[in-house]
Each structure stands twice: as structure tokens, then as C-alpha cells.
Amino acid sequence: MIIINILCFLILTSCSKGDNTGPLVKNVTISITTDKAVYNPSDVVNFKIDKALPATARVRYRYLNQTLEETSLNGQSWSWTAPSTDYKGYMVDVFDITDNEEYIYGSIAVDVSSDWSKFPRYGFLSKFPELTDTRMSNIVDSLSRCHINGIMFYDFENKHHKPLAGTTANPENSWYDIAKRTNYLTTVQGYITKAHERNMMAMFYNLAYGAWKNAAADGVSSEWYMYTNTSHSTIDYIYLDNNWSSSIYLLDPSNTGWQDYIARQNDDLYSVFDFDGFHVDQVGNRDKNLYTYNGTLIDLPGTFAPFLNAMKTKNPGKRLVMNAVDQLGQEGIATTNVDFMYSEVWTPTTYDELAKVITDNNTFCGNTKNTVLAAYMNRGLSGQKGFFNLPGVLLTESVIFAFGGSHIELGEHMLVHEYFPNSNLTMSVELKRAMISYYDFLVAYENILRDGGAFNTVNITSADRQMNLNSWPPQTGNVAVLGKEVGKRQVIHLINFSTASDLNWRDNDGSRTVPVKYSNSRFDINVNSTVGKVWYASPDYIHGSSTELEFVRNGNTISLSIPYMQYWGMIVIEYL
């Protein structure tokens, strides 16, 4: 298993309980891994660390800020039996106490969820050449460390209308894809096996309605296509030049003949590859009238739900996810049996508009499904080699995660372009470490980030005037406040736009700057009931582990301070 290092940083402040600076982190490097990305209730979780620690080191298991168990650490590997309750996230800290001061060596989250659709964290694979077993294991392990619980196999297929190369009895060992790349059966099968070993779902990618040239030879009827005129003389298509295997010709997803045909092709694929389901793609709004073979006007967004319903019926037992490009057809998709909402974001440009995609999806599905966003960071830099801009990535990540979404971005590389194999931008070592902390945070606190609740407005002021605060939506130069009530907990997200010169989430040219860092910031917060506990957590502070805050109550106001914030911090008030 690949070990991804977490660089622990040294907080150079006092750690006495009274000043709320919380536990310190020793100036050491420690890596913690688990053997799976996600676990079923009562599963055994196996942990490893990359170096020996003092005999005084301990392990603590927490649900939110509640300690469930604490034990001594013996050796560099150990096991823990996960609780029997389904759909819960936990934080596991490895720590030590010296002179009554707590030092956290490192932390890792654990997701106990029997079905990925509850808290989807989607990754991808996009390159399927001949690969060694070690190389494939390293890639899948890196995804598992970020708790990715489902993988999209992007553009692995032979032809869009005939994804399996060869026959079920004699599948081809290799084939050309749409980009004329050679893909290998052993690589696809090997990745699926390794994903399943780590409890990840494996989803094959394909368009809902794509065919290559000369598809008639494979049994595709001219009566199934979408036409740009009523006389069925011109098929709608996506033009691709000779660098590609074919242009892509578009069919009517609601045509029952096409549905029967592609479902049979999917059955052939499932008989050779142990995929768990179908990730259905589209190409967005066509900006033109489209017609059936018989000249009937097609309502393109309205064709997706019938297609999905047919796939669920004709390929029973298989999962479905569908991309709503700029939300095209999303309201109809939400009514079907897709596992979660998936939106490829183009037109929404601001952080507020990005967050609205998530809240709109919540409305469309009646708050029954969570959202994954395909949102390509630093897209304007995708044509040349370079690095992702860390401040831009983490600020957008903070917004998506605080609003309860997830972000498809991790694979063999980080996504920068809608053509997933584009790997021109590279993650810095610092960004890789940060992403581990952010995904640990998303998992450890999934029950207040992604498990119900209602967004609200909170009355909070900066008592020491360190921060300029404003309620969501964000303003440049300020820290945005986002409230959410979850049961008897009031969650307060602080997202730092202090140095943002604009509010465009994509950070297209990679110019977003590092925000101001705040230490020991004091706040006054209005409360409406008896407060039992207040705690704080941030993916930018002590590996996302939580720290309890002391507070003073005066009437309907509590006063407290938080130890540190850079991009995103979360205050949680627990009422009795």
C-alpha cells in the first residue's frame, strides 16, 4: 500500500487549556493509512503508521467531538472494530501527552457507510495502458487514502455505441478508444479488482446517446438518431478531427429501440468487466431544434429520465449516475433512481452560484441525495504544463464541502479539464498534503456537513475586530459566515475571502492569493438555548482534529476564541 506523508506543522503558541489554542502538533512527519476507503458497520479497520512512536503514544476514536474510545498504541499497526451504526464518520487521532500538553502526531478519518450513495466521494481513472500491478495499486491506494468510495472509468470503452471490444466469449485484449489510445483489458480488470478490494464502487463511463461513424454495421438504426431537420437528412453530431477515431453522432435517448440496443451492449460489458454501474454522460444544451426520424420535435432535457429508467429496468442491480451539464435536465434526473446528483459546472462563475448548484440539487431531489460537482479548477491554464494554484483550490474546496457537496477531482492526476486524461497541471507536495486533510475533514464531519440540517443565519461578531465578517454570500476582503442547524447543533462556517480580489470560484488563471491567517480570534455569538459544549475544527489546523472551546455566557450571548484559521474553520455549538 502506498504511504502518503502528512507533514505535521508546529503551532508556536501556548497550549494551555485556558487560552483555547488547543493541542499542539509535534514537528515530525507521520503517515497514517487504513486498508479500505470505507467500511461497513462492525467491520475491522486496519491502521498503519510509517514510523515507530514512543511507548506513551495513544490512539483516540471520536465521533464529532465525542470520544468513544482511547487506547495505548503498540507498534506500527493496529485494528479497531467499527461501531455498528451505519452512515457515520469518525476521526482517529494518534497523540501523546508530555508535561500535561497534548501533541497530535496525525489523524485519519474513517467512514462507516454500507452504501456509497449516502456520502459519495467520486474519483476517476482515465488512462488504461499496460500497467504493472504495483503502479495500479499505488494509484488506487492514493485514492483510498482520500476516502474516495467510487471511481469513474473515463473513456475506457471501445466505441460509444459498442463499448465492449470483441465478444463476451472472446473479448479483445486491447482496443483503440475515441482518442486512438490503446487500452488494455488487463488494466481495466485490474483496476476494478483493486477498487473492490478497498470497498470502492467501479462505474463505467459512456454517453447516453453516442455512436461512431458506420454504426449501422453494428446494428444501430438510422431511425434512432436525433436530426437537425424534419426530413431526417442531417444527424446532429459532435465534430472531431482526424486525431480522433470518429466524430460522435447523437441518438434520441428516449427512443426505445436505442434503449434496448445500448442496454444489450451494457449487458455484454458487464459480463466481461465487473462494473457496479453506468456513469451516464451528455454534451449539454445543443442550441438548436432537434427532431426524431419522423420529424417530431425532441425535448432533449426531457429524454434523460426515460433513458435512466430504462437502464435501471433493463440492467437490474446496476447503479446509475448521470451528469447534468450546466444542470441540463437535472430536475428530471433527480426523479430517477440515480445514486446521487452530479453536476458539471460551467456557467455559474461565482462562489455563491457554485453553492447554489448544490442547494438547487437538494431542492430537486427533496433533500434525499447528496451532490458531486465536476468543477475544473484553473481551467484556463490547462493548455500548458504547470501547477495548480493551492489557494484557489482550497478556497473552492471549502465552499463545496461547507455546503455539503463533494468534488470529483482526484485520479491518476488532478482534474483540470473536461477531457479527463488532460494532466498538464500537477499538484504540489503541499497541495497533496492539504487534500488529504480536507478529505479527512469531509469524512470525519459528514454527519453535520452532508446529513441533513437547514442553512440559517447566525448573529456573530468579531469581538477583537480581527476579522471583517459578513453573512453568506461572500464579499471580497471579508470572512463569510454560513450557518447550518443540524439537530441540536448550530454549525458556523467561516470561509476566508480576506485577500480575494474577485469571487470567481474557478481561479481560471491561477492568481488567487493566500488568505490572511488568524490566530486566537475572539467572537460573540447569539444563542437561543442552553449551551452544553462548543468545539472547533478546521482542515487547516491539527489535521482537522477537533478541539473543545471554553466559553463565557452573558445573557443570550456566548464569548469564545478559536485557535487558528486560514481558509475554512467550523465552530459547532451543541445545545442541551
Side-chain angles (χ1 to χ4, degrees):
M1 178 176 289
I2 187 170
I3 302 296
I4 303 176
N5 287 331
I6 307 172
L7 180 64
C8 303
F9 57 93
L10 179 63
I11 306 299
L12 298 173
T13 56
S14 166
C15 71
S16 64
K17 196 169 183 180
D19 63 7
N20 287 331
T21 55
L24 296 180
V25 183
K26 281 190 174 180
N27 191 23
V28 298
T29 300
I30 183 172
S31 299
I32 312 176
T33 57
T34 55
D35 57 334
K36 292 182 173 63
V38 61
Y39 295 86
N40 290 312
S42 302
D43 273 357
V44 174
V45 184
N46 295 305
F47 299 88
K48 287 184 180 180
I49 56 177
D50 67 333
K51 62 181 62 174
L53 293 175
T56 52
R58 299 184 65 77
V59 183
R60 175 175 57 213
Y61 307 90
R62 289 198 280 187
Y63 171 69
L64 302 180
N65 186 250
Q66 176 190 0
T67 298
L68 305 179
E69 184 181 350
E70 186 178 306
T71 64
S72 59
L73 178 63
N74 297 310
Q76 293 177 236
S77 62
W78 73 97
S79 299
W80 175 58
T81 300
S84 59
T85 307
D86 208 352
Y87 303 120
K88 299 293 182 183
Y90 302 92
M91 185 65 92
V92 181
D93 302 320
V94 176
F95 70 100
D96 208 342
I97 297 176
T98 304
D99 297 329
N100 294 320
E101 295 180 353
E102 182 177 281
Y103 294 84
I104 295 181
Y105 292 102
S107 302
I108 189 169
V110 173
D111 182 14
V112 178
S113 295
S114 61
D115 196 307
W116 79 314
S117 64
K118 176 70 171 177
F119 301 118
R121 298 176 298 276
Y122 214 5
F124 72 94
L125 294 167
S126 64
K127 298 174 182 179
F128 307 96
E130 286 187 294
L131 295 174
T132 65
D133 186 79
T134 299
R135 174 61 177 159
M136 287 189 285
S137 290
N138 288 347
I139 290 171
V140 177
D141 283 339
S142 69
L143 296 175
S144 179
R145 179 57 189 88
C146 288
H147 316 287
I148 299 300
N149 56 9
I151 300 177
M152 180 206 304
F153 285 61
Y154 179 90
D155 264 7
F156 81 96
E157 70 275 4
N158 171 37
K159 301 175 183 178
H160 286 75
H161 66 274
K162 193 177 186 301
L164 178 66
T167 65
T168 57
N170 188 27
E172 298 288 345
N173 291 322
S174 63
W175 59 91
Y176 292 118
D177 65 13
I178 187 68
K180 297 185 178 179
R181 303 179 305 168
T182 302
N183 293 339
Y184 286 82
L185 180 143
T186 53
T187 300
V188 177
Q189 289 182 328
Y191 269 138
I192 294 171
T193 297
K194 292 180 184 303
H196 286 163
E197 288 172 350
R198 293 152 183 82
N199 282 352
M200 298 173 173
M201 302 291 280
M203 303 289 286
F204 80 85
Y205 165 95
N206 200 357
L207 284 170
Y209 51 5
W212 289 15
K213 61 187 177 184
N214 304 321
D218 294 321
V220 177
S221 170
S222 61
E223 297 185 4
W224 302 343
Y225 288 94
M226 296 191 291
Y227 292 87
T228 60
N229 55 27
T230 58
S231 58
H232 58 255
S233 62
T234 307
I235 297 173
D236 189 29
Y237 72 108
I238 307 296
Y239 171 74
L240 297 174
D241 63 25
N242 289 333
N243 292 315
W244 303 81
S245 297
S246 172
S247 294
I248 300 176
Y249 299 86
L250 303 182
L251 300 108
D252 175 6
S254 64
N255 184 285
T256 57
W258 166 246
Q259 293 170 359
D260 290 341
Y261 175 89
I262 197 61
R264 290 194 302 271
Q265 301 301 320
N266 291 350
D267 275 336
D268 288 348
L269 192 73
Y270 288 132
S271 71
V272 174
F273 298 103
D274 190 21
F275 282 116
D276 298 292
F278 180 6
H279 178 100
V280 185
D281 200 10
Q282 53 155 301
V283 295
N285 187 8
R286 300 301 294 144
D287 291 322
K288 64 184 78 171
N289 287 336
L290 298 172
Y291 303 90
T292 66
Y293 183 87
N294 295 324
T296 302
L297 186 66
I298 295 173
D299 171 23
L300 182 59
T303 67
F304 299 142
F307 179 84
L308 292 167
N309 290 334
M311 293 304 101
K312 181 61 72 171
T313 299
K314 297 174 188 300
N315 302 127
K318 297 298 183 180
R319 305 302 189 94
L320 290 171
V321 174
M322 185 167 185
N323 178 17
V325 177
D326 246 0
Q327 297 295 74
L328 184 70
Q330 188 70 288
E331 290 187 65
I333 293 168
T335 67
T336 70
N337 201 12
V338 291
D339 277 17
F340 51 84
M341 311 296 285
Y342 182 105
S343 300
E344 186 176 56
V345 185
W346 290 106
T347 302
T349 58
T350 68
Y351 294 104
D352 188 34
E353 291 168 342
L354 183 69
K356 190 174 184 299
V357 174
I358 300 172
T359 57
D360 283 349
N361 284 349
N362 293 343
T363 299
F364 296 155
C365 69
N367 294 303
T368 60
K369 296 168 181 166
N370 276 316
T371 289
V372 172
L373 297 183
Y376 311 115
M377 293 303 306
N378 304 155
R379 172 64 173 76
L381 303 178
S382 63
Q384 58 193 18
K385 295 291 184 180
F387 287 91
F388 283 97
N389 182 39
L390 182 144
V393 172
L394 295 189
L395 199 52
T396 295
E397 208 82 328
S398 299
V399 172
I400 294 173
F401 288 5
F403 272 89
S406 186
H407 191 187
I408 184 167
E409 57 192 334
L410 300 179
E412 309 100 329
H413 51 271
M414 190 172 185
L415 280 182
V416 67
H417 193 276
E418 64 275 14
Y419 181 61
F420 284 20
N422 184 320
S423 56
N424 280 338
L425 293 195
T426 301
M427 299 172 69
S428 66
V429 172
E430 185 182 4
L431 180 56
K432 288 179 181 179
R433 292 167 181 157
M435 294 304 285
I436 291 171
S437 291
Y438 272 68
Y439 276 86
D440 276 341
F441 196 88
L442 181 66
V443 168
Y445 306 112
E446 62 192 13
N447 297 109
I448 52 178
L449 294 174
R450 314 183 74 190
D451 196 13
F455 293 108
N456 64 356
T457 300
V458 294
N459 189 335
I460 178 173
T461 58
S462 176
D464 55 10
R465 301 183 183 276
Q466 277 198 49
M467 298 183 191
N468 296 319
L469 302 177
N470 72 274
S471 295
W472 190 269
Q475 299 173 9
T476 58
N478 284 14
V479 173
V481 178
L482 175 67
K484 189 179 186 183
E485 191 173 24
V486 184
K488 291 186 176 182
R489 295 181 175 92
Q490 174 64 60
V491 181
I492 304 171
H493 297 288
L494 304 172
I495 305 178
N496 192 356
F497 296 92
S498 61
T499 60
S501 59
D502 62 67
L503 297 173
N504 296 323
W505 65 264
R506 197 181 300 278
D507 186 24
N508 208 43
D509 60 358
S511 61
R512 183 74 66 233
T513 57
V514 176
V516 173
K517 298 176 185 179
Y518 298 100
S519 298
N520 298 314
S521 302
R522 294 189 291 112
F523 300 94
D524 294 327
I525 307 170
N526 279 20
V527 294
N528 55 25
S529 187
T530 302
V531 177
K533 178 194 288 190
V534 183
W535 51 276
Y536 176 77
S538 165
D540 309 312
Y541 177 65
I542 55 172
H543 316 292
S545 185
S546 64
T547 183
E548 188 170 347
L549 304 179
E550 292 188 350
F551 64 92
V552 174
R553 181 159 186 168
N554 183 9
N556 291 329
T557 300
I558 61 171
S559 299
L560 53 82
S561 67
I562 63 173
Y564 177 89
M565 193 192 81
Q566 184 171 20
Y567 291 93
W568 171 29
M570 182 177 72
I571 300 169
V572 181
I573 301 169
E574 296 192 358
Y575 292 115
L576 296 177

